[in-house]
Amino acid sequence: MEITNLSPIDVWFSDFEKDPLSALDNLLRGRAYMGKLNRNETPEILFRLFHTKDTGIQRALDEAMRNWFQSYWMAMPRTAASAQWAEILQNAFISVQRLKLCKSYQWLSGSCFRGRSWLRSLYQGPARDPEASLLQTLALRQQDRTLLPLWIRLCRMEEDLPLHYGAVGLLGLRKLPEEDGTPPGGLNPIVLQGIVDLADAIYHRKKTQGEHLWLLECRAIMALYPRSTQYWIDNFSPLIHQKPIGDAAKWFNKTIPGLFDKMEQQRHDKKPTGVFSRPPSKQHLEKILRLIEEQPLDSIKEELQGFLEKHRHYAYQTGVSEFLAKTFCGLGNKIFKRDINLALDLAEEAFLWEPYNPFTWTTRAKIEEYQGNYPRSMALLWEAKRRFPGNAHIRTELANLLGKDSEYKIAEIIYRQAIVDFPKDDVCRNGLAGVLLQRGKRGDAIALLEETIKVFPHNKVAKEFLQKVTHGESIPDISKVYKDDFAGEKSKPREVEVGAKPVESAPFPTKTKIDIDEPGQKKPSELKTAGGEEEAPVEDNIEEKIGMTNLYRLESRTVDNEKEREGCKEKAFSLIKDALQKTPDNVPALLENGWLLLDEAADHARDFFSDQLKRHPHVLGLHLGNLRYKGQKAITINRQEWADLFENFSGSSTVINLERTLHEMSHGNGGRVTALDDLRRQLAKNTNQLPATLRENERWAVSLVKQSLFGNINLGESLTEDSIPPIIANYKRHEHLLKGIVEQCVSAI
Amino acid sequence: MAFQKTKSSSFYQFLKTTAKGSHPELRVIAENFILEERLTGQREDSYESHIAAPANVGDWQEGHEGYVAEKINVVSGTPETFTAQNQPNLISKLDENQYLVRLENATRLGNALGLTNNELIDYLSTFIKNPGDKDAPAIVEKILADWNKTRDHRPVFVGFWDEVKDLMVDPEGKDRDAPEWANRLRDRFGLGHYDPDEGEPIPVVLLRYRVSDVINGRPADPKFAAVPNVLDSKWSPFFCPTPVNGWNEGQSLDLTAGNKDEYALNCEIVHRYIAYRASYFYRAGWITKSPGRTCEEARRIHFSLLQNDYKYFSEL
């Protein structure tokens, strides 16, 4: 072996000078021995190596780190063990924070949205939780207020995450910069709102250890910001008044003696001394809408800007984003034909606040389509379809868009599947009728419309549609039909009622300036992150491939013709193979692949699930797929395996219960009645306590399972062997649908 | 038993080659593996399944880190160190009342609260001096809760209070308020990886607790402590394996500046995970200087004191 006078650190630096990315990769992955520093944790090693170096070398590290993230984002090495990789990622995130690596930070903040489900899949407990490490890094190095909605959501526990994410949310709020980007000069009132929100969420979700965690957080924050007791009383009591938080209010009295007395006094005075503003009034909105109708946008620029600012101010002050999202999307829909840039900015800003609100997805898609960005619009809708399986409107929008591109066959499949998933939705039926006409299936269209009118006798659209068809119009204006269908959207957008899925903040600017005179249209690719960096490139067509795979896979279950069935599967396999080649750790793509293998009853499904569970131990869908495979192969599933899932994925009890029931129905060994009865009890539970990101999908699943599996069974009574024959019949009739509910819910990540 | 059992194995030959060449900081890692006598056959097999036949130091280190990640720094369950696989090295007879001490790098402790290192050390110092302070306990409790939650279950290296208390208290038992305590303690325990070099000082906390605190965490399981060996942590040139013959604990390097005559052997052991409590915080401060003695020099003296007990010293 060559004798060298260079220390291991010198050798590494020499490598770094030649090839920074490779040297950094070796260090992060434990391939570089760092001599006297080696025993330290990686972030400490990197800090010691670089913190005294000149800015040029630090910049090289920053560049290398960003490239490193790009190389491995959703594509970790094949041989990597998940526990080790989780630790490596944590070390990388911490290093970005400690060494203030700006480019890496900006890349991460732009890639967070698409990376979180992957990071979450590596979760092995609070000690190996790369997602929390990333969020902590983002919180500590915030350069603007872009991430505020994310911190609020974490405090409200709107995502299905462990308790300690609430603490990350509070950290993010505390470290939120001032509007000019400077560090916070004091305790932002939004932190107090976050504390109240967290108490409320913990109380309602009945989180174990929740009170203890909350008290620790609250006391630590009060110690970090010494204020008089009167200050705390004056500032907390109006918040608690505004938001009744039940017994959680008692926790406040443990930390702020006298709070209850003050609140009692305010109750008598009936004048809570609120420090927060109100959202703009309905009258103000109506005035703005009137102005938009009557005047050129140029002439109402100031008025409109003022109105938007009021909404922003209210959202920033209170963290309540409902009004902002609804209004901004509504305005976006209203003005996109007159000022597309402004419309898109408003929709993006709404999305930033409420990414779990489907309305923010469909609005963006609509505007993107209008400005000719068809692939982006399509990608948004495919992704929305996956994230919000319980939302019928997204299906209609997607099918509509596909129809405009003459993809009638795919549109038809989407509608057909939507009709099964949403038996009470008349809009999908009318949409399907339109597509059938386009495909020359006039008879089918008429039959469908007639059936629709039978089921929904008051449906004017179907009646009018049928009338036009029967009176000789070969293909009535379908868009008119859609428009009529959503005429009520202004006042009561269907989407707003629905909230579903995860939910990271996206890399778009929070505040958009109205610059109506600016020529040219801003393309999504030109959008910058708040820090001025370009957002991470988005593989838009990946979502399309995943969506199409899902479509063909489900279709293959229903077509009778074997050749067609095989054709569907072939297409599905080919599409998902492409998607996984580009992003091998894309969790929804992996799940689609797994379901496909199960449908094939392929032996290598076992290896697939076993390998992927080693790489992604925290993905419910992979666990359920693995158990489904065992069922298929008559391998015994012990009770503990189900119990572990209930414990580790407590927010998804309905889906787990449903899968267990399906298993018992088809392969079980005497546990059928128990499983059905457990499911019955589960369906009766109150869904309000679920995180917002799960709630609407859960409601959809509950409703569909009730209808399709239990039919007319009284769910208030326990099930017995005698009462289940009709349920068995239902199961046989709707097996594919029920399986599909499980698959769609676990893929909505 | 150790890797010497099959001297013709490719890994052993790799160790021999590595120990002969290269820079001293790398050489010593191979030396440690050659000298190590405390590995059971099971642990050796477990390790070898991760390293296969390394072609170079990078492969070896990657395999070692993989082994440590999977078998030692576990997030749940028990590290191999405290299993029956390591039976000969388990320690069960320790007086439960005696104090153990551990010096921890505190850099990350304030992260979850967004504290700077200065703020962190100030809060901890205030708390240690005056646990009844109005604000510090709330902050310390929060720091502890986060720390306990995010620590994995890796073996915890500790020394014995009696062997280092001269650095912290005077003969009458009063606290010495010596600003150099952290540097000295680092040197005494051979924690050479805590080296600020010419850069920012390293914030550290000294934890002191009783053996019974470790045992009481899981009283039914007697496997609470062990003599450390080369497989129980990441590589460090400052670690020296301890011979079996005549030594019931590990012996740390002494990096304190001075003559060979002043060199002190200090016992070190590893114990299983425990949740730290606020009452364990004994000091908080800064390591400001590099160790007083180089690793090479310390090892030379160390070996001169232990070499007769090493079974395989002649292999070096």
Side-chain angles (χ1 to χ4, degrees), chain A residues 30 33 41 48 128 217, chain B residues 25 61 142 152 154 200:
Chain A
Y33 171 56
E41 299 295 315
R48 292 290 146 199
R128 291 287 179 280
E217 291 297 324
Chain B
E25 280 180 9
Q61 156 119 347
K142 159 75 177 147
D152 58 35
R154 69 184 63 185
E200 283 185 15

Side-chain angles (χ1 to χ4, degrees), chain A residues 189-206:
Chain A
I190 195 73
V191 179
L192 304 185
Q193 181 70 57
I195 291 171
V196 174
D197 286 346
L198 185 59
D200 180 51
I202 288 172
Y203 176 72
H204 284 104
R205 308 266 153 75
K206 298 182 172 59

Side-chain angles (χ1 to χ4, degrees), chain A residues 226-258:
Chain A
R227 305 283 188 273
S228 67
T229 304
Q230 196 56 44
Y231 173 91
W232 298 117
I233 292 174
D234 287 347
N235 285 278
F236 269 124
S237 55
L239 296 176
I240 299 171
H241 258 292
Q242 280 175 2
K243 185 171 196 166
I245 53 174
D247 280 356
K250 288 179 189 162
W251 306 346
F252 278 92
N253 226 37
K254 287 183 186 174
T255 54
I256 312 163

